[in-house]
Amino acid sequence: MEEFHSGRSRLERKRQEELREQEEKNQEIHQQPEQPEEKLSARQRYLDEPSEAEQKRPSSSKKTSNKRRLSSGFGSIMRSGGKMAGLVQHRLSQRRSSRSRRTEQPVREKTSDQRLKKQPVQKKKRRFKSKLIGLLLIVLIGLIVFASQPFTFLLIGSDARPGESLRGSRSDSLSVMQFVPLSRTIQLTSIPRDTYTPIACEDGKKDKITHAFAYGGEDCTSSAVGGLLEQDIDSKIVISFDSFIGLIDEIGGIDLVSTGTFSEQDASGKANQYAFQKGKEYHMDGAMALAYSRHRKTDTDVVRANRQSEVIQAVATDLMKPTGWSSIPAANRYMKEEMNLDVSVRQMMTAGLSLALLSKREHLEVEGVSERLNGIFYDFPKEKELAELRAKLETTFYGTLKND
């Protein structure tokens, strides 16, 4: 019995030693540096740590210790698997963030490229606008230069009564208008109808300049006037009583302030049909404007020429108003058909530019001495005054008066 008890005690000591070794191993596993602060669940502690009953049980077998070893190894495998899963998830999130950054970067580069591409387009638009403005300025300057060349315009007033033909009639009044836009000057030169001068269409024979129209119409009169003033006549117009009245009525009349006090007959010859008072404004129809412009009984030919220029100025002013623009085509057509108007586009632009600039009108006259020759009175031009007048009518290419 003593041997049996001693053998049993030896077996119990051996089992206790094995349990102690197993406990030390479990403690080493739990005290690893990888998870120093990790808390175990109640189930894991139950699987890994032996209970107090098991420690006291001396009859535990090797089979139960092996199960505990397997359960403790399975728990460590689960813990390591959780760590690996966390690492994999962290890596995947890093890759996703890097991919999103890569996709955002090309978009930003694309938008920046688009902005860079838009900038040259804006520069091109600005360049196009500046070029267009420069081109318009060049065209405007060209038109101004084109319209700034002075030209000479001859007005021939026929003495043909209403209903009479112009053929065989004489010039009742002669006026030369010289438009000089750059110096803002309109020179109006009146020529007395009895001025003694050579007539080119009559082989240079001297006679009254009013007879030139009876000899050869407006062309003969134009050459006689050009020879007298030593000027080239660029364009001309013939005005009869009928055409004068028709033109004023065509544009609806003119507004004019009278520069004199007088009365005048009408176109048919009835005396004192129209009365004018100096400084008073009148709205004149064609017949009233004709009476105003042809009066000369109480004035000289120079004053009458001035009144005629006033009427012409009033017609041009009326046509240049916005309300008169619609009348320009009809007025131009009427003057070409009824007044033999011979004016180019450039000359019309020059006249319009001179009038738009409110050019100063300068009144000149061919001064002469009235004397009888072979029983007929003529106006003989004064040589000195005629030379001075010719010098004043000389202009440069740019339109600046030489005498200024």
Side-chain angles (χ1 to χ4, degrees), residues 105-117:
Q105 186 175 3
V107 172
R108 292 176 183 175
E109 291 178 354
K110 190 174 181 181
T111 54
S112 62
D113 292 339
Q114 288 177 355
R115 290 175 184 174
L116 291 173
K117 287 180 181 178

Side-chain angles (χ1 to χ4, degrees), residues 133-390:
I133 292 171
L135 181 61
L136 291 175
L137 287 175
I138 292 172
V139 172
L140 181 61
I141 292 171
L143 290 174
I144 292 173
V145 173
F146 179 73
S148 296
Q149 301 179 27
F151 86 101
T152 305
F153 184 69
L154 175 63
L155 290 88
I156 305 171
S158 173
D159 62 357
R161 294 297 186 269
E164 296 180 355
S165 175
L166 290 175
R167 183 175 295 179
S169 65
R170 296 171 297 181
S171 57
D172 186 54
S173 63
L174 291 172
S175 299
V176 177
M177 298 184 71
Q178 191 174 47
F179 296 92
V180 190
L182 292 185
S183 61
R184 296 181 59 195
T185 306
I186 299 176
Q187 294 188 129
L188 179 65
T189 304
S190 61
I191 303 173
R193 58 179 292 167
D194 294 335
T195 300
Y196 191 69
T197 188
I199 307 298
C201 62
E202 288 294 308
D203 297 328
K205 182 180 74 172
K206 288 188 175 184
D207 200 345
K208 291 182 179 182
I209 199 169
T210 186
H211 293 162
F213 192 79
Y215 293 148
E218 62 266 26
D219 292 332
C220 185
T221 302
S222 177
S223 61
V225 172
L228 176 65
L229 301 178
E230 295 183 355
Q231 288 290 316
D232 293 330
I233 305 300
D234 298 317
S235 58
K236 54 188 176 296
I237 188 172
V238 179
I239 303 174
S240 65
F241 287 3
D242 288 336
S243 62
F244 188 90
I245 294 172
L247 175 63
I248 303 299
D249 292 339
E250 183 73 27
I251 64 175
I254 58 174
D255 296 321
L256 190 62
V257 178
S258 176
T259 56
T261 301
F262 56 88
S263 59
E264 182 59 35
Q265 62 184 3
D266 60 7
S268 63
K270 293 182 180 181
N272 301 325
Q273 295 299 308
Y274 297 99
F276 302 95
Q277 185 177 353
K278 185 177 181 180
K280 185 177 180 180
E281 185 177 2
Y282 297 90
H283 181 75
M284 303 181 182
D285 59 3
M288 188 176 185
L290 176 64
Y292 178 80
S293 62
R294 69 189 295 260
H295 174 78
R296 67 172 180 176
K297 290 182 179 180
T298 60
D299 295 320
T300 63
D301 286 340
V302 175
V303 178
R304 183 175 68 165
N306 290 342
R307 283 196 295 270
Q308 292 173 355
S309 69
E310 291 170 8
V311 173
I312 295 171
Q313 181 83 20
V315 171
T317 302
D318 186 80
L319 292 175
M320 290 178 65
K321 292 179 181 178
T323 55
W325 290 348
S326 59
S327 302
I328 292 177
N332 184 45
R333 182 173 59 253
Y334 183 88
M335 286 187 288
K336 285 183 176 180
E337 294 175 356
E338 303 295 334
M339 298 181 175
N340 298 329
L341 178 65
D342 181 19
V343 180
S344 65
V345 175
R346 181 189 68 81
Q347 292 164 357
M348 290 181 67
M349 290 176 62
T350 302
L353 182 61
S354 298
L355 295 171
L357 293 174
L358 301 176
S359 300
K360 180 182 177 181
R361 287 182 298 175
E362 185 177 359
H363 301 284
L364 307 173
E365 181 187 7
V366 176
E367 298 183 16
V369 178
S370 181
E371 294 183 357
R372 188 187 294 271
L373 179 63
N374 299 327
I376 302 173
F377 280 98
Y378 297 96
D379 290 330
F380 294 93
K382 297 178 181 179
E383 295 297 331
K384 181 180 178 181
E385 284 76 3
L386 183 60
E388 293 175 355
L389 175 62
R390 289 169 177 172

Side-chain angles (χ1 to χ4, degrees), residues 29-154:
I29 291 171
H30 288 300
Q31 292 177 1
Q32 286 181 357
E34 293 179 358
Q35 293 180 350
E37 297 178 359
E38 187 176 356
K39 294 182 180 180
L40 299 177
S41 63
R43 182 177 179 83
Q44 288 175 346
R45 283 199 303 271
Y46 177 77
L47 293 173
D48 294 338
E49 296 180 357
S51 62
E52 294 179 356
E54 287 178 349
Q55 289 179 2
K56 292 179 181 179
R57 258 187 228 169
S59 61
S60 297
S61 62
K62 291 183 180 179
K63 188 174 182 180
T64 57
S65 64
N66 291 333
K67 287 181 180 180
R68 289 175 183 174
R69 289 177 186 176
L70 288 172
S71 63
S72 62
F74 181 75
S76 63
I77 290 170
M78 289 293 291
R79 286 192 296 274
S80 62
K83 289 181 181 179
M84 291 297 293
L87 290 172
V88 170
Q89 189 175 4
H90 181 66
R91 292 284 178 86
L92 288 173
S93 63
Q94 285 181 348
R95 288 181 182 178
R96 287 173 185 172
S97 62
S98 63
R99 285 178 184 175
S100 63
R101 289 174 185 173
R102 289 175 185 174
T103 53
E104 288 177 359
Q105 186 175 3
V107 172
R108 292 176 183 175
E109 291 178 354
K110 190 174 181 181
T111 54
S112 62
D113 292 339
Q114 288 177 355
R115 290 175 184 174
L116 291 173
K117 287 180 181 178
K118 288 180 181 179
Q119 289 178 357
V121 173
Q122 292 177 357
K123 289 181 179 179
K124 286 182 180 179
K125 287 182 179 179
R126 291 176 183 175
R127 290 177 182 174
F128 178 74
K129 288 181 180 179
S130 60
K131 287 181 180 179
L132 181 61
I133 292 171
L135 181 61
L136 291 175
L137 287 175
I138 292 172
V139 172
L140 181 61
I141 292 171
L143 290 174
I144 292 173
V145 173
F146 179 73
S148 296
Q149 301 179 27
F151 86 101
T152 305
F153 184 69
L154 175 63

